[in-house]
Amino acid sequence: MDLARSLAEDEFKPSRTHLATASTGLLPLSAARAVHEAVDAAAAGTPPDMFGARDAARASFARLVGVPATRVATGSSVATFTGLIAAALPDGAEVLTAEGDFSSLVNPFHVRPGVTVRTVPLERIAEHVTGTTALVAVSAVQSADGRRADLAAVREAARAHGARTLVDASQAAGWDTFEAGAYDYTVAVGFKWLLAPKGTAFLTVPREPGALPPLLAGWVAGDSPFDSCYGPVTGLAPDARRYDESPAPLVWTGAQHALALLERIGTEAIGAHDVALADRFRERLTRAGHAPVPAPGSAIVSVPGLGERAAALGERGITVSDRAGMLRAAFHLYNTESDVDRLVAALDG
């Protein structure tokens, strides 16, 4: 972790104790500088290349989650991509989801006419897959409390019953050794553990992109976008680029540098660091008489009944989250053991 600590010291200079990566990650200084330079260039009439930074970020994300870049589409939000998948489902399809999962993952299926959504406890989702299930949609790590889904069991159950899988990796990609290629579809926002600006998101699709109609295809979905500006796009990209949204160059400039930093350190090292801090916090909480939600191996720790303390902690320079009545702390690259100790002391004070 020496490399990670060294880079974290160079790349992050927070003015507060930031323990809310599950809400928003900190932008690395190298990414912030690149965005400032891109803004200045745009103001001077020489804006950054529209596609270069986005494609570099796509390639970095693909390597981080273990798939070819040809399977990765880029966009602005998880809800847009899940809505695309929901729209492609046939009438009468059943979607299986977990109770309390994040709205951007599940709501597109609830508002899709003709689709039935069945919701079950996270711990039992694999056993509830049946022959009538068309799609299992679940977060790798729960946003509210950090619980991890048994993705191996979900994958095997879906395969046994002929169902497809959609995994939201928004709370996993960037610290967990998440393998996107094991699932039909995955989605993830860039502004949490991936440390990119808001307005960045990723979708991974099957090797054969024809399984998902490109219903949102605009000119950037063309194999040669600048030759696809007028009239119907006659030559869609042969890979996941056909699902791309038109890129916002400034945010993708930041994403390019943020994901390059994560690649340089490595997900395994980051995950070990993050989980060690989370485990330290759980142990200190237990000793103090609190009962955090059991979430072994997670970088997110949630404590029932303490959510209302978040505002007061914020006034003391400690940023945590209040989610579903729980105090949620999320540990990442820029956090240290002293951050854990400061939070515990503040809760006990």
Side-chain angles (χ1 to χ4, degrees), residues 171-188:
Q171 300 290 3
W175 70 269
D176 196 10
T177 52
F178 178 75
E179 295 292 335
Y183 313 99
D184 295 291
Y185 308 106
T186 74
V187 289

Side-chain angles (χ1 to χ4, degrees), residues 16 41 53 68 81 94 109 116 123 203 213 229 254 261 280 287 291 317:
R16 302 168 57 83
F81 285 140
E94 177 191 274
F109 301 107
T116 299
E123 294 79 7
L203 164 72
C229 296
L261 173 65
R280 180 183 180 90
R287 274 199 283 156

Side-chain angles (χ1 to χ4, degrees), residues 14-15 21 53 73 98 113 135 137 139 144 199 201 213-214 216 223 240 244 255 259 272 293-294 299 345:
S15 60
T21 298
L135 178 74
S139 291
L216 304 179
D223 192 24
D244 281 352
L259 270 68
V293 173

Side-chain angles (χ1 to χ4, degrees), residues 196-238:
K198 286 192 175 183
T200 53
F202 300 92
L203 164 72
T204 68
V205 299
R207 293 184 183 277
E208 297 298 327
L212 182 67
L215 300 179
L216 304 179
W219 71 283
V220 299
D223 192 24
S224 177
F226 286 107
D227 294 324
S228 303
C229 296
Y230 306 104
V233 178
T234 56
L236 286 171

Side-chain angles (χ1 to χ4, degrees), residues 37-252:
E37 291 169 1
V39 170
D40 290 341
T46 55
D49 171 47
M50 186 170 184
F51 298 113
R54 181 210 59 183
D55 289 341
R58 184 205 312 272
S60 282
F61 178 80
R63 289 188 291 267
L64 285 169
V65 300
V67 296
T70 53
R71 290 187 61 180
V72 180
T74 59
S76 59
S77 74
V78 160
T80 298
F81 285 140
T82 55
L84 178 66
I85 295 168
L89 291 172
D91 287 343
E94 177 191 274
V95 179
L96 184 65
T97 66
E99 292 176 351
D101 214 330
F102 199 75
S103 297
S104 293
L105 174 67
V106 301
N107 196 60
F109 301 107
H110 283 273
V111 300
R112 160 67 160 86
V115 167
T116 299
V117 180
R118 189 157 54 93
T119 302
V120 300
L122 175 69
E123 294 79 7
R124 301 183 60 191
I125 192 167
E127 67 187 75
H128 278 275
V129 181
T130 70
T132 64
T133 306
L135 178 74
V136 185
V138 65
S139 291
V141 177
Q142 290 294 298
S143 171
D145 55 27
R147 287 177 301 149
R148 302 181 64 166
D150 186 348
L151 293 180
V154 169
R155 183 175 63 246
E156 291 306 313
R159 181 179 297 134
H161 292 284
R164 289 188 176 272
T165 49
L166 165 60
V167 176
D168 185 347
S170 295
Q171 300 290 3
W175 70 269
D176 196 10
T177 52
F178 178 75
E179 295 292 335
Y183 313 99
D184 295 291
Y185 308 106
T186 74
V187 289
V189 294
F191 65 88
K192 297 180 186 293
W193 307 89
L194 295 173
L195 308 177
K198 286 192 175 183
T200 53
F202 300 92
L203 164 72
T204 68
V205 299
R207 293 184 183 277
E208 297 298 327
L212 182 67
L215 300 179
L216 304 179
W219 71 283
V220 299
D223 192 24
S224 177
F226 286 107
D227 294 324
S228 303
C229 296
Y230 306 104
V233 178
T234 56
L236 286 171
D239 53 23
R241 290 180 296 124
R242 63 175 53 194
Y243 308 110
D244 281 352
E245 292 184 63
S246 185
L250 297 180
V251 297
W252 286 107

Side-chain angles (χ1 to χ4, degrees), residues 123 144-147 282 285 291-296 300-304 326-327:
E123 294 79 7
D145 55 27
R147 287 177 301 149
R282 290 188 187 93
L285 283 168
V293 173
I300 299 173
V301 181
S302 290
V303 193
M326 295 180 285
L327 183 145

